[in-house]
Amino acid sequence: MRNLRCVQHSSIANVAAIKAIAWDVSSDNVVCLRDVDGLIRFERWTVNDLHQIACWDAPQSPYDIVDSHFFSDTESACIIFENGDIVVVRENPVNEEKIEIVGSIDAGISAAAWSPDEELLVIATKASTLLYLTREYGDLVNIELTTQDLQVSDHVSVGWGKKETQFKGKKARALRDPTLPETVDDGRLAESNEYHETTISWRGDGAYVAVNAIEASTQRRVIRIYSREGILDSVTEPVNGLIGPLSWRPAGNLLAAVQVFEEERQVVFFERNGLRHGQFPLPSFDRAQESEEGAIRSLQWNIDSTVLAISYDDRVRLWTMNNYHWYLKQEICEPTLRWHPEKPLALALLSRSSDRIRRFQYVSDVCAGPILPPLDYGLVVVIDGKTLKVTPFRQANIPPPMSLYEISLTEVANDVLATLKSPELGTSPQPTFKIQVLHPFGTSTYLLDLGTCQPPQKIDEEQEASNGTMSNRMEIFSLSRPSSAVGRRDIVLTESGSLLAGQRVLARGCTSYLVTPLHLIFTTSQHLLKFVHIVEKSEDLEVPSDTPESDERCRSIERGAKLVTAMPSVFAVVLQMPRGNLETIYPRALVLAGIRASIDERNYKQAFLACRNQRVDMNILHDHRPERFISSVGLFIDQITKVEHIDLFLSSLREEDVSKTMYRETLRIEERQQNERPDDSSGKVNRICDAFLEALYTRKANVKNVITAQVCRSPPDLDAGLTEIVRLRDMGSDQVDATVEHICFLADVNRLYDSALGLYDLRLTLLIAQQSQKDPREYLPFLQNLQRLEPSRRKFSIDNCLGRFRKAIRHLSDLKAFEELKLYTTRHNLHDEALSLYRYDEDKFSAIMQLYAEHLKKTSRCKEAAIIFHYLDDKAQASECYRLANQWQECLSTASSIPLPADQLHSLAETLAQSSIETKDFRAAATIHLDYLRDIRSAAKCFCKGYLFTEAFRTITLSSSQLQSQADLLASVFDPGLTETMASITELLADCKAQLAAQVPRIRELREKKKEDPLAFFEGDVNGGKDIPDDVSLAPTDASTMGGSLFTRYTNRTTTGTAETGASRRSSKNRRREERKKARGKKGSVYEEEYLVNSVRRLVERVNSVGDEVRRLVEWMVKRKMVERARAVEGAIVEVVGMCGMAVDEIYNGKPLEEKSAQEEQHEKTDVPKVKEFGRLPFLGQGS
């Protein structure tokens, strides 16, 4: 679909006797050889003049130049003459001669060619020999071309065409294999167009070279293929009419040659093994103009193997191939051509009269029509010699080389331009396009009316004279593709693949681009199609990243695909693949841009159809502009009109705001008004359905839409939908059956059956059941039984069947069946509902309360049960429930109010006191002993066990005068209590000290091992790494990243998992096993350090918790004159607190800062325990 368009042209004329031309790659200039006044001048073409490099005497006899090559690295040229001389010309010699004949071949030279790397020179002599020379012109290989060379390739032959291999007998012709040729070429020479020249061509990588020469003994033209070392690799199979031109495609897969017959000529291709590999005929107009254009002189591929140049006696034609079809793209009336060695589409030409040199720079470009809607018909014009292939892709998506229209020309087309004709000149409502064609010697213009089926019509040249011609276009083209305006800047694609917006580089590695009213579209060498939103300033152009999976502006395409045209009206982009086939795609960016534009214009029908055709979530119709949509629901219904389409939209609704998730707006625009996003307290789906119901009721629309709006609510309002069906049935409408089918399609028929049954309408239930897969033997007897019951009993049975027990119990209340209601209440735990039914009936209310209290007692809610029993004046049960609930105060007070006998009350108090001691509630146990059991000794002991020494002392001093002396109680109860408490505290502190002394050094040891050899630490290696495989790939994979890295899989600080799924890295079974291993903290395992650190943390928390208790103990020991013991306890806890502080500093703060990650630092801020200082009594001193 691409043409060759000339974007740069220069020439130098009136230069006499030019013999040869060559390229200087470093300066991008053309050098030439001229024969002037008996002198050979070697000159360089710069700007508009020739500057002489060297000059020497020309040979006396006529001479021809076989090959000329310029070496840019040494600034020298090698000129090879037919008489055998090899001349080197140095532009800036250093201790060397400027002009030197480095060698001469007496037999003469028929062909020569340098290798692509400029290291080898291959020369074919007139003595049928082949010479390999080095860059220093040293002789490497001397090969003689003999007839025995033809035996090197053993081409397979089964005697095709020979008489002895043909089928004989009756009906032999009908049995002949149609795949076999009727004749086999013997390699005879062409009768005309044969100049007996020899041609040499290298493969692009320089590994092989091909020589096309005539084998004199057999009068057959043979192409020999040699390796770089001079070894004959193969020869081609015999081909009749083969002539001298030969060119090896730089890509290396084919050799191109020319075959001539009496009535036609064609380019034939060979593989390296010498076998034929296809051909293409030169068009018929070549034969008609043969006397003018002359014979074919040479074939030349450009450097990237995309263009084949065929040189005639008076012109050059450029051919390209796509989809296995060869297109003639250019005809230039100059016979001698040299491709640029590095720029694929740059060439130099020498005129037939040898007095002019021309340079051309081409680009491969698409001739496309307007892209601005609504004129974006995707019109593309392709040049194919004397034919223009025209296809409007919006009307017909026809793959090349076919086309919808073909325009036959009288001359070869070199360039073409398709524009829109002025509207006033058109005769059809469809647009008319003007196609201007540039020929080598003039222009022509055609009109294409897309509203008719007529082929394009040529118009008079004089009619278009006022509009000018295209001959001036080549003078105004820049070095790169013509720019397109975006905002206030031009978009330019440079030769290196950089896409520029003014001076800003938007992207590198760009291969093609298009500009639409809303987007800049381009393809990249990474096989991505990208969209850039058009904005006013080029600085604000935002190029998307290479994330096609998450960004609508980026899409993956086939490797090497390029843009052909775009049709924003239908959201289409046409791409051409490297092999030539087309692919029309509908990128999400174009589709969503069109949908959003239609919504902004309130064209909801167009937006809806686009969503439906392109499979876009319908929620965008609301989510893009929610307030506007809610206010325009009536307009939406009026535009859509079709019942099915409205149902489709309503059934697609969901709560997700797709404008913030899957269809997030990528164009940065000004913030909309604050009230653009409505209040979602009622839910988006319900709000839309309510708006539709209001509009549908106003318009008396189809009842199906009403039912759809009700059923699609969240949760579905099935009762309202079924009520609509009942209304239709009562009106005698004939749409009842269709409506029932419709609602059964929208919702689960089983849920509809239950809902219909819940309306107590058995006829409606039967209609729904008939649409389900239920067996009539199941539901018919059930419905018949219900029909026989009285209304209240029927409603109770239905609600009970549907599990609506709260409604069912109300029907039992209506039936006055209280005993049945009590059983039903107990069975389904409906006590609160039953209480609300009988709140004004005291007897029944009390009966239900009794049932409720028994239920609470059975379910271990004893406190609530006790309250109800108290309400029912059942104090014995209330006291028992209080006891079970550990409410000793309420239990004893309730028992005293019964009243209980003294012995039972005493026994109850002892039980509660013992229970309090077991639960460590020593204050409660002491209170019970003191108030109810009158046991001062036991009360004091309980206070001491709870570290409540002040309360114990106060109790003894208040009560001792009545029972026994105060001193005896203090000596027998209080002091032993202090001693026992001191013993337990001392034992606890000793255990803590021993734990710290054992665990902290172990943690230090483990961390040193981890630092020295982390691999062995985490993997459990015990052999010093000897068994570790050395062929493990270090490249991350999905499996390795999901499993965590080597240093994170045994810790809680793992890397972030999959964001979309939040999936666990391990199965639940493995996870539980790992948790058990962590809890055990087995020595030597990878979890040991974590276990020890957690153990130290718990120890610190325990020491902090006993600090206040120890302080009270120390104070009372001093008061009781136990100073040494107090000093010992204080010293012990101070030592343990100090050890805790040092342990915390080493464990949590001892790691160097540079080794901590940010996540670890944040983790430590919350997990580092705080060691609470112990306030020492100053009068005890610092000794222990």
Side-chain angles (χ1 to χ4, degrees):
M1 304 303 292
R2 295 178 176 272
N3 304 318
L4 293 179
R5 175 178 294 179
C6 179
V7 295
Q8 186 181 22
H9 165 248
S10 59
S11 65
I12 183 169
N14 301 322
V15 182
I18 302 175
K19 289 291 186 178
I21 58 175
W23 282 96
D24 178 7
V25 178
S26 62
S27 62
D28 200 25
N29 290 332
V30 176
V31 295
C32 64
L33 288 168
R34 292 200 301 142
D35 189 342
V36 181
D37 299 331
L39 297 175
I40 298 178
R41 295 178 181 272
F42 185 59
E43 298 173 325
R44 179 187 298 275
W45 176 21
T46 59
V47 190
N48 297 320
D49 198 4
L50 293 175
H51 297 278
Q52 181 174 302
I53 298 174
C55 178
W56 70 96
D57 293 334
Q60 296 297 327
S61 59
Y63 64 93
D64 286 326
I65 297 175
V66 176
D67 183 70
S68 60
H69 189 86
F70 191 88
F71 298 95
S72 298
D73 55 347
T74 60
E75 295 184 336
S76 62
C78 176
I79 299 99
I80 301 175
F81 292 88
E82 187 180 14
N83 61 10
D85 291 341
I86 303 175
V87 179
V88 174
V89 180
R90 300 178 178 89
E91 187 171 2
N92 297 306
V94 178
N95 300 325
E96 293 178 307
E97 296 182 8
K98 192 175 186 68
I99 303 171
E100 180 184 1
I101 299 177
V102 296
S104 183
I105 300 173
D106 296 336
I109 298 174
S110 58
W114 284 92
S115 63
D117 58 0
E118 300 180 338
E119 294 296 330
L120 288 180
L121 172 62
V122 174
I123 297 176
T125 69
K126 294 184 178 181
S128 297
T129 59
L130 196 67
L131 303 179
Y132 277 50
L133 302 181
T134 65
R135 177 72 177 269
E136 292 76 23
Y137 305 100
D139 193 359
L140 281 180
V141 182
N142 192 334
I143 304 169
E144 184 178 357
L145 307 180
T146 63
T147 307
Q148 285 74 20
D149 296 342
L150 305 183
Q151 307 301 322
V152 69
S153 294
D154 187 14
H155 298 124
V156 178
S157 175
V158 293
W160 290 346
K162 293 183 179 180
K163 182 179 294 185
E164 57 269 20
T165 62
Q166 302 302 309
F167 290 104
K168 297 179 181 180
K170 193 175 182 180
K171 298 182 181 180
R173 182 178 298 275
L175 297 174
R176 187 180 67 84
D177 189 347
T179 63
L180 302 180
E182 294 184 358
T183 60
V184 176
D185 288 356
D186 54 10
R188 63 179 180 273
L189 298 176
E191 297 179 0
S192 61
N193 293 286
E194 179 58 80
Y195 293 89
H196 299 273
E197 71 268 21
T198 300
T199 311
I200 300 175
S201 181
W202 284 87
R203 199 169 77 171
D205 59 358
Y208 293 92
V209 63
V211 181
N212 185 0
I214 295 177
E215 182 60 40
S217 60
T218 60
Q219 285 298 300
R220 167 189 167 189
R221 182 170 285 280
V222 179
I223 301 176
R224 294 174 172 85
I225 299 171
Y226 293 90
S227 68
R228 190 179 180 88
E229 293 76 23
I231 301 173
L232 182 62
D233 184 74
S234 62
V235 297
T236 57
E237 63 178 280
V239 176
N240 292 340
L242 199 65
I243 61 175
L246 174 71
S247 182
W248 202 325
R249 196 166 186 250
N253 57 339
L254 295 175
L255 293 94
V258 178
Q259 186 180 21
V260 178
F261 301 106
E262 294 182 358
E263 298 183 355
E264 68 173 330
R265 291 180 289 190
Q266 64 181 6
V267 176
V268 295
F269 300 104
F270 296 93
E271 299 176 7
R272 184 175 63 83
N273 57 14
L275 297 177
R276 283 278 296 273
H277 189 89
Q279 66 280 324
F280 74 91
L282 297 177
S284 58
F285 59 83
D286 282 355
R287 299 196 298 271
Q289 298 180 359
E290 184 174 339
S291 60
E292 299 179 5
E293 66 190 20
I296 297 175
R297 291 299 185 184
S298 68
L299 299 176
Q300 291 188 50
W301 288 97
N302 70 332
I303 190 63
D304 67 350
S305 306
T306 57
V307 183
L308 177 63
I310 303 179
S311 298
Y312 298 84
D313 286 337
D314 65 340
R315 69 193 67 195
V316 172
R317 287 181 174 144
L318 306 181
W319 295 77
T320 63
M321 191 269 288
N322 260 324
N323 254 18
Y324 303 98
H325 178 79
W326 285 88
Y327 296 86
L328 174 55
K329 295 297 184 181
Q330 289 281 328
E331 181 178 89
I332 311 169
C333 296
E334 308 289 0
T336 304
L337 172 142
R338 290 294 293 267
W339 285 107
H340 195 287
E342 293 183 354
K343 297 180 179 179
L345 297 179
L347 54 86
L349 294 163
L350 177 60
S351 66
R352 185 174 189 179
S353 57
S354 300
D355 62 351
R356 180 174 63 177
I357 305 175
R358 302 176 69 184
R359 288 183 58 177
F360 291 92
Q361 176 66 51
Y362 292 93
V363 294
S364 180
D365 194 17
V366 177
C367 176
I371 301 181
L372 182 67
L375 304 174
D376 51 339
Y377 280 80
L379 184 72
V380 177
V381 184
V382 181
I383 296 175
D384 188 9
K386 290 187 177 180
T387 302
L388 291 183
K389 298 179 179 293
V390 184
T391 301
F393 283 96
R394 190 167 162 186
Q395 290 186 341
N397 197 344
I398 299 178
M402 298 179 290
S403 61
L404 185 61
Y405 303 102
E406 287 193 358
I407 303 176
S408 297
L409 308 174
T410 56
E411 298 180 73
V412 176
N414 281 352
D415 205 352
V416 63
L417 179 65
T419 58
L420 182 68
K421 186 179 179 182
S422 301
E424 61 272 15
L425 299 179
T427 59
S428 170
Q430 295 290 337
T432 300
F433 292 95
K434 180 171 65 174
I435 301 174
Q436 295 175 278
V437 186
L438 174 65
H439 305 285
F441 302 104
T443 62
S444 59
T445 306
Y446 297 82
L447 290 181
L448 173 62
D449 188 353
L450 296 181
T452 65
C453 296
Q454 299 297 326
Q457 302 295 321
K458 185 176 182 180
I459 61 175
D460 191 0
E461 298 275 349
E462 298 180 358
Q463 181 180 349
E464 292 294 319
S466 59
N467 296 332
T469 65
M470 294 176 58
S471 59
N472 295 327
R473 287 177 57 193
M474 296 188 295
E475 299 177 2
I476 62 174
F477 284 164
S478 61
L479 289 175
S480 59
R481 174 178 174 170
S483 61
S484 304
V486 172
R488 299 178 181 176
R489 296 290 184 268
D490 289 338
I491 299 297
V492 177
L493 178 61
T494 65
E495 294 178 353
S496 62
S498 296
L499 189 64
L500 307 179
Q503 299 299 320
R504 179 190 172 192
V505 178
L506 293 179
R508 302 187 187 276
C510 179
T511 57
S512 62
Y513 80 94
L514 287 172
V515 178
T516 68
L518 297 178
H519 295 95
L520 165 63
I521 312 172
F522 64 93
T523 57
T524 70
S525 56
Q526 300 299 319
H527 328 304
L528 296 173
L529 178 66
K530 294 190 175 184
F531 295 81
V532 179
H533 292 291
I534 301 297
V535 293
E536 188 66 21
K537 299 179 181 179
S538 61
E539 295 79 9
D540 297 334
L541 292 173
E542 183 180 358
V543 180
S545 58
D546 298 346
T547 54
E549 65 280 355
S550 60
D551 195 335
E552 69 183 37
R553 298 170 296 171
C554 184
R555 173 184 175 135
S556 297
I557 56 176
E558 187 175 335
R559 180 185 298 271
K562 293 184 178 181
L563 290 165
V564 175
T565 187
M567 295 166 281
S569 295
V570 292
F571 324 121
V573 170
V574 181
L575 297 167
Q576 187 169 29
M577 306 303 119
R579 58 185 175 273
N581 60 305
L582 299 180
E583 182 177 343
T584 301
I585 62 175
Y586 298 86
R588 191 64 76 191
L590 282 184
V591 174
L592 293 178
I595 292 173
R596 293 183 183 115
S598 299
I599 295 173
D600 292 338
E601 297 170 0
R602 297 180 188 263
N603 190 348
Y604 291 107
K605 182 176 183 179
Q606 182 175 344
F608 172 84
L609 294 177
C611 292
R612 181 171 176 264
N613 296 335
Q614 301 299 330
R615 302 179 67 84
V616 176
D617 196 315
M618 296 286 183
N619 286 271
I620 194 175
L621 298 175
H622 167 271
D623 296 342
H624 178 58
R625 300 292 293 272
E627 282 298 323
R628 174 174 292 187
F629 181 85
I630 293 297
S631 62
S632 304
V633 166
L635 178 63
F636 180 92
I637 295 173
D638 294 338
Q639 289 182 358
I640 300 299
T641 65
K642 281 192 175 182
V643 176
E644 297 80 3
H645 289 176
I646 297 176
D647 286 345
L648 175 62
F649 170 75
L650 291 172
S651 60
S652 303
L653 293 175
R654 51 197 176 94
E655 292 295 337
E656 178 187 357
D657 188 349
V658 297
S659 66
K660 295 181 180 179
T661 54
M662 65 172 70
Y663 303 138
R664 181 177 55 86
E665 177 63 87
T666 54
L667 175 61
R668 295 182 178 178
I669 57 177
E670 295 295 331
E671 292 294 332
R672 293 175 179 158
Q673 298 179 358
Q674 293 295 328
N675 59 357
E676 181 66 21
R677 293 290 168 188
D679 181 18
D680 283 342
S681 57
S682 61
K684 181 185 82 173
V685 175
N686 291 343
R687 188 175 63 257
I688 296 174
C689 290
D690 291 341
F692 266 84
L693 287 172
E694 182 180 353
L696 291 170
Y697 284 136
T698 303
R699 287 165 173 76
K700 297 182 179 179
N702 192 291
V703 70
K704 289 184 178 180
N705 292 149
V706 175
I707 292 176
T708 303
Q710 292 166 338
V711 173
C712 291
R713 290 175 59 85
S714 180
D717 193 355
L718 300 181
D719 291 349
L722 293 171
T723 303
E724 289 292 330
I725 297 176
V726 173
R727 184 179 62 83
L728 286 178
R729 185 193 64 191
D730 295 341
M731 294 171 55
S733 174
D734 56 355
Q735 299 182 4
V736 175
D737 292 338
T739 309
V740 170
E741 292 179 3
H742 178 70
I743 196 172
C744 289
F745 172 77
L746 292 175
D748 181 13
V749 68
N750 293 318
R751 292 185 60 191
L752 284 172
Y753 176 83
D754 293 341
S755 297
L757 192 61
L759 294 177
Y760 314 117
D761 191 327
L762 300 184
R763 291 176 55 193
L764 177 62
T765 305
L766 182 60
L767 288 175
I768 298 297
Q770 289 172 347
Q771 297 294 327
S772 68
Q773 300 297 321
K774 294 179 179 292
D775 188 347
R777 291 175 296 181
E778 296 177 4
Y779 63 81
L780 282 178
F782 173 71
L783 295 179
Q784 290 171 353
N785 291 334
L786 290 177
Q787 184 67 30
R788 300 189 189 99
L789 300 176
E790 60 176 324
S792 295
R793 178 59 67 176
R794 182 191 307 141
K795 292 179 181 179
F796 167 75
S797 299
I798 290 174
D799 289 332
N800 183 58
C801 178
L802 296 178
R804 301 190 298 188
F805 305 121
R806 292 186 176 275
K807 294 185 69 176
I809 197 173
R810 295 182 177 274
H811 298 306
L812 284 179
S813 177
D814 295 338
L815 290 171
K816 309 299 183 182
F818 185 69
E819 294 300 325
E820 184 180 357
L821 185 143
K822 289 168 59 177
L823 295 175
Y824 199 78
T825 298
T826 304
R827 185 184 307 124
H828 298 293
N829 191 18
L830 300 174
H831 303 89
D832 53 345
E833 188 71 24
L835 290 173
S836 65
L837 291 175
Y838 295 103
R839 67 178 63 182
Y840 302 114
D841 191 333
E842 185 176 351
D843 295 338
K844 294 180 179 179
F845 184 82
S846 298
I848 299 298
M849 287 286 280
Q850 182 70 30
L851 295 175
Y852 196 15
E854 294 173 356
H855 168 74
L856 292 175
K857 185 177 180 181
K858 290 179 182 178
T859 56
S860 299
R861 295 168 62 184
C862 298
K863 184 176 181 179
E864 292 89 341
I867 295 173
I868 296 178
F869 281 125
H870 216 135
Y871 165 78
L872 297 173
D873 291 330
D874 191 348
K875 294 183 180 181
Q877 286 284 2
S879 177
E880 178 64 17
C881 289
Y882 281 131
R883 184 187 67 80
L884 295 174
N886 291 324
Q887 302 288 323
W888 65 271
Q889 294 162 315
E890 291 84 350
C891 177
L892 290 173
S893 61
T894 304
S896 299
S897 65
I898 293 178
L900 276 181
D903 56 339
Q904 294 184 10
L905 184 61
H906 188 274
S907 176
L908 178 61
E910 287 182 343
T911 302
L912 291 174
Q914 188 61 33
S915 176
S916 299
I917 293 174
E918 292 174 357
T919 59
K920 305 295 183 181
D921 189 358
F922 296 106
R923 183 184 291 275
T927 304
I928 295 173
H929 277 292
L930 192 62
D931 294 346
Y932 291 92
L933 299 178
R934 308 299 179 183
D935 187 351
I936 299 174
R937 182 182 296 272
S938 297
K941 288 181 178 180
C942 289
F943 279 130
C944 289
K945 288 181 180 180
Y947 297 89
L948 303 172
F949 303 109
T950 302
E951 288 294 325
F953 189 81
R954 185 180 66 84
T955 300
I956 292 174
T957 55
L958 287 176
S959 306
S960 60
S961 59
Q962 301 175 4
L963 299 176
Q964 54 189 352
S965 66
Q966 178 178 336
D968 292 342
L969 286 175
L970 290 175
S972 61
V973 177
F974 191 78
D975 291 344
L978 289 175
T979 304
E980 291 176 4
T981 306
M982 173 191 170
S984 63
I985 287 295
T986 304
E987 183 180 359
L988 172 64
L989 294 177
D991 292 341
C992 293
K993 183 177 178 180
Q995 181 177 341
L996 289 172
Q999 292 182 343
V1000 173
R1002 179 58 180 171
I1003 293 173
R1004 188 184 308 120
E1005 179 185 356
L1006 291 173
R1007 289 185 173 177
E1008 289 175 356
K1009 287 183 178 180
K1010 179 169 63 174
K1011 186 176 181 181
E1012 292 173 358
D1013 191 357
L1015 180 63
F1017 179 82
F1018 283 102
E1019 292 291 343
D1021 176 59
V1022 295
N1023 296 323
K1026 296 180 181 179
D1027 298 331
I1028 298 174
D1030 59 356
D1031 59 348
V1032 178
S1033 172
L1034 297 179
T1037 63
D1038 290 342
S1040 64
T1041 54
M1042 286 188 66
S1045 69
L1046 176 65
F1047 306 108
T1048 61
R1049 58 178 166 171
Y1050 294 115
T1051 67
N1052 290 326
R1053 302 183 183 100
T1054 55
T1055 55
T1056 304
T1058 305
E1060 288 79 9
T1061 62
S1064 173
R1065 294 182 179 86
R1066 302 184 181 93
S1067 66
S1068 59
K1069 181 178 180 181
N1070 290 340
R1071 190 163 54 249
R1072 289 194 299 269
R1073 184 190 309 143
E1074 295 295 330
E1075 292 298 332
R1076 288 195 297 269
K1077 289 182 180 179
K1078 288 182 182 181
R1080 287 195 299 267
K1082 182 179 178 181
K1083 186 174 182 179
S1085 68
V1086 293
Y1087 302 113
E1088 183 183 1
E1089 181 188 359
E1090 183 179 357
Y1091 172 80
L1092 294 177
V1093 170
N1094 291 332
S1095 178
V1096 171
R1097 178 189 296 108
R1098 291 192 295 270
L1099 185 145
V1100 172
E1101 293 172 354
R1102 175 61 177 151
V1103 171
N1104 289 338
S1105 66
V1106 301
D1108 294 338
E1109 298 173 355
V1110 174
R1111 184 172 183 82
R1112 293 197 298 268
L1113 173 64
V1114 171
E1115 290 174 353
W1116 274 101
M1117 291 181 74
V1118 171
K1119 293 177 182 179
R1120 297 299 295 166
K1121 303 185 185 309
M1122 302 178 185
V1123 178
E1124 291 301 325
R1125 295 183 182 182
R1127 185 179 292 115
V1129 173
E1130 185 182 64
I1133 192 167
V1134 168
E1135 182 182 3
V1136 171
V1137 169
M1139 293 179 66
C1140 289
M1142 290 187 294
V1144 169
D1145 289 339
E1146 180 177 353
I1147 293 173
Y1148 294 94
N1149 303 323
K1151 190 175 182 181
L1153 184 61
E1154 59 272 12
E1155 297 182 12
K1156 297 181 182 180
S1157 65
Q1159 188 176 5
E1160 288 177 343
E1161 291 182 358
Q1162 182 65 27
H1163 185 71
E1164 289 178 0
K1165 288 180 182 179
T1166 57
D1167 288 354
V1168 176
K1170 302 293 184 181
V1171 180
K1172 187 186 297 185
E1173 293 293 333
F1174 182 80
R1176 306 185 63 157
L1177 295 178
F1179 47 80
L1180 288 180
Q1182 301 300 321
S1184 58

